[in-house]
Amino acid sequence: MSADHNTGTDRDEATLGRIETEIALLMRLGEATRRATGTAEHRVLDRAAYVILRYLDSAGPQNVSGLAARLGLDGSTVTRQVSAMQRDGLITRTPDPADGRGTVVSPTQAGLQRMAAVRAARTRLYGDILAGWTSGDRETLAEMLHRLNEALESRNRRR
């Protein structure tokens, strides 16, 4: 093996280590920011309900197993979350036309309104956090995060 190859491998390994560290920090700081944001707008939905409503809004009604698979969660976890969301009037369940034994989950207008309020509050928050960034840097960040999420989703679907 040439010295150049080792240097490239070492550099790649160091870069991957930096990525791992930055993602760990991002997750910790993102959660800390969410907890520290005292406005009611951020707290009208818990994180799981927000993610479920965002997905239902973009993908349309889903059965629980499809929802669990798409979100990479255990079916029983999603069933419990969906039950709580139904009690809170955020989603409705109707019989699944493809499987009479199952149900299809759809967001209610109240659920969509709460999701939109949280999304708007989060958008304003990130606008404030990234105020000193150029629009080009924001675009680059958005694209790189999108690519990372696609890669993570692809890996999770293969499992």
Side-chain angles (χ1 to χ4, degrees):
M1 228 181 262
S2 72
D4 287 341
H5 182 71
N6 283 340
T7 303
T9 301
D10 292 345
R11 190 175 13 240
D12 288 346
E13 195 69 27
T15 299
L16 292 173
R18 284 182 57 212
I19 291 168
E20 184 282 326
T21 298
E22 295 301 331
I23 289 174
L25 286 170
L26 176 66
M27 293 168 57
R28 182 182 62 78
L29 291 169
E31 182 60 22
T33 301
R34 187 189 66 78
R35 282 194 316 269
T37 303
T39 63
E41 306 171 291
H42 289 269
R43 300 186 186 274
V44 296
L45 286 175
D46 68 33
R47 184 177 35 213
Y50 178 73
V51 169
I52 289 171
L53 286 166
R54 287 287 308 261
Y55 180 64
L56 291 173
D57 186 41
S58 67
Q62 301 286 310
N63 63 33
V64 170
S65 60
L67 192 56
R70 177 66 172 98
L71 298 176
L73 298 170
D74 181 71
S76 63
T77 301
V78 174
T79 297
R80 281 192 302 277
Q81 186 64 39
V82 163
S83 293
M85 291 172 70
Q86 186 175 17
R87 279 192 306 274
D88 292 342
L90 303 173
I91 57 104
T92 59
R93 290 190 210 193
T94 56
D96 186 343
D99 176 3
R101 299 169 296 163
T103 60
V104 172
V105 178
S106 302
T108 63
Q109 195 58 41
L112 290 174
Q113 287 171 345
R114 283 199 205 173
M115 187 253 331
V118 172
R119 185 177 188 182
R122 288 180 176 185
T123 299
R124 284 191 304 277
L125 174 66
Y126 285 110
D128 291 345
I129 291 168
L130 301 173
W133 292 39
T134 67
S135 61
D137 284 348
R138 289 187 206 184
E139 282 286 330
T140 299
L141 176 62
E143 182 58 31
M144 294 296 105
L145 289 171
H146 177 74
R147 286 178 59 191
L148 176 61
N149 284 326
E150 281 184 332
L152 290 168
E153 286 178 348
S154 176
R155 180 180 177 88
N156 288 333
R157 280 194 296 272
R158 289 192 311 259
R159 292 186 154 192

